Structures are given as C-alpha cells and as structure tokens.
Amino acid sequence: MPTLIYQIFSASALISLGVYHLTSTIRNFLKSPQSFSARPHHPLPSSSARLKHLHLYILLLCLLIAFAHQILISSDFDPLLKGHTPVHRFTSLQSAALLFLFVIVSVALLLSESTSLLPLPPDLFFALGSALFFLQYSVSSSAASVQTSDLQAKCDSVSAQISAVVAFLCLILAFQPRMFIADAGLAGAICLQGLWVLQTGLSLYVEVFIPEGCHWLLEMVRGVEGSTKCDLEESRLRAVAILNLLFVVHVTFVVLIVMVTYAVMARTIGIRRLGSYEALPTTASDSNHIQMKAFTGTQA
C-alpha cells in the first residue's frame, strides 16, 4: 500500500507539472508567435513575488519527499531482486542521488528567477534538464535489468524510453528555444510520464488491475512482498501485450489533451484579441463602401 500511495503522489505531481507547462507554453505562443521563446519556468500571474514562484516551491517539496522516500526504502530488505538486498540498496541510492540533482537544479532555477544571485540563461537549464533526464533513462534501464518481475521490468523499460524522449526534447530547446512544437511536446511527455507512473502502480499493486495469470511476488520465509510476476509464458506475453496497448491509449489521451487545450486557449485568446472591434473589409467593394460612408458622414 505505501508503494501505491507513493506512485499516485508521483503521478499527480508529474501530471500537474506537465499540464501547467502546457497551458503556459500555449498561452505565450498565442499571445506573440513571432517573439515566442521556450522557458523552463513560467511565473504565476500574481503581484506577490512568492506567489509568482509558488509552483517551484511545490516542485521542490515534491522532490524532497521523493528523495526522502528513496533514502528510506534503500534500507529495506528485498530478497526478490536479482542480487537480492545489496542491489536494491544501491539502485535506491542511485535514484535518490538523481533526485538530489533535480533538487539542486530546481533551487538554481528558483534563485535565477527570483533573485540576481544566479542569473543563468534558460538554454542552460534546458541543457541541464536534458542531462538529468538522460541519467533518469539510465537509472530506469538499470532498474529494469535487475527485476525478477517481467511486468515491473516492462514498466521500468517504458518509463526509461519516456525519459529519453524528454531528454531529447530538452536538448532541442537548449539549441532551438523558439521551437514551439518541441516545448509543447515536452509538456506532453511529462504528462505521459505521470500517467505511466500511475499505470505502473495500478498494474503492479492493485489486484483488480493485475493481468490475469499474474500475481504478487512473496518471499515465503520472511513474508516480504515484492512486485508482480506471471507464472506461465503465455500469461507473461498477454500481460506485456496489455501494457503495450495501455501505453498507446495513454499516448492517445495525451495527444487529445494537447489538441483540446490548444483549441480552447486559441479560441479564448483570439476573442480577447478581437474584442468588439468590427472585422476588417475583405474585398474591394467592402472597402469602397466604408470609404463612401465616411465621405457622406463628413459632408453631412
């Protein structure tokens, strides 16, 4: 149960971050497409300096909670991994070290945005983000390779691939910050990572969502619960196929979110632009008609 709660917490944080970045990116692009430039941080529209960066404080809090969680579970006894407890301890510490690097970069971003102590350019933060997400790809790939659970290994492998996509998009934005598609894709990929973290928790730790023919691992001597494993090869292949299908469903859902968000915001910002002004004439006859009305009014 604690693992499932942590999965839900991580998923909520990632989805919220992705949606906020998506809406902010689309709003900035629609307001001024010619001068658009990707930003790693979008301040909240508030007169208070602290409220402007509220979501950065929340992000730091979430990262610190995740860091503490990885440190705590590194001392747990886990005989169900390949290599048993020592491997579990080192993989957990590796994840904790990576989260600490994310904390450092987030603090640097907060100082850069709120003070003049660390005036770092946005492209540097995108480059650092690319490096950190590439490390996340490496950590997730390593975690997948030591799992005795085929389902856990599959989930970690997909998570690693999403992290690689995020790293690639951050690298593009470090060199091409005016590329709106890459910035919107980055927000969508973060949302996708959050949805996949949630799906991982449901598929591995909730009985209703565990594929048929699979069950929780249990070390019978000490009663240590692990992940989920399928006994038969047919059940394993079926479970992997279900996860592949669910991944496609999540990708489709994220694409719909991006499209609907863009459509709604384009309509809203477009209405604000036009206001109650009369539309400009589109033909020569309309232009002549307006000129004749102005001339008649002047004579009168």
Side-chain angles (χ1 to χ4, degrees), residues 51 100 211 262:
L51 289 179
F100 185 70
Y262 186 91

Side-chain angles (χ1 to χ4, degrees), residues 51-95:
L51 289 179
K52 278 186 177 181
H53 310 294
L54 177 62
H55 59 291
L56 273 181
Y57 290 109
I58 296 175
L59 175 62
L60 279 171
L61 177 62
C62 294
L63 287 173
L64 290 173
I65 292 174
F67 172 74
H69 175 265
Q70 291 297 330
I71 291 293
L72 290 175
I73 66 172
S74 66
S75 60
D76 289 345
F77 181 77
D78 192 348
L80 299 174
L81 285 176
K82 297 176 183 177
H84 304 294
T85 300
V87 174
H88 167 72
R89 179 172 296 118
F90 286 120
T91 54
S92 299
L93 290 176
Q94 188 180 16
S95 299

Side-chain angles (χ1 to χ4, degrees), residues 96-123:
L98 179 59
L99 287 169
F100 185 70
L101 288 176
F102 274 108
V103 170
I104 293 175
V105 174
S106 298
V107 171
L109 179 59
L110 179 60
L111 292 176
S112 178
E113 291 287 337
S114 59
T115 67
S116 58
L117 297 176
L118 202 64
L120 299 178
D123 54 352

Side-chain angles (χ1 to χ4, degrees), residues 152-174:
Q152 179 74 61
K154 175 65 178 178
C155 292
D156 289 342
S157 177
V158 173
S159 179
Q161 294 172 8
I162 300 174
S163 297
V165 172
V166 174
F168 178 68
L169 292 172
C170 286
L171 187 62
I172 292 177
L173 292 173

Side-chain angles (χ1 to χ4, degrees), residues 240-266:
V240 170
I242 291 175
L243 289 178
N244 288 333
L245 176 60
L246 290 173
F247 177 71
V248 174
V249 171
H250 288 310
V251 171
T252 305
F253 183 63
V254 169
V255 171
L256 290 175
I257 289 177
V258 173
M259 294 176 64
V260 171
T261 303
Y262 186 91
V264 172
M265 296 191 69

Side-chain angles (χ1 to χ4, degrees), residues 102-148:
F102 274 108
V103 170
I104 293 175
V105 174
S106 298
V107 171
L109 179 59
L110 179 60
L111 292 176
S112 178
E113 291 287 337
S114 59
T115 67
S116 58
L117 297 176
L118 202 64
L120 299 178
D123 54 352
L124 178 59
F125 284 107
F126 280 118
L128 291 173
S130 177
L132 291 183
F133 278 108
F134 182 78
L135 286 176
Q136 179 66 45
Y137 160 76
S138 177
V139 169
S140 298
S141 298
S142 299
S145 64
V146 298
Q147 288 291 338
T148 56

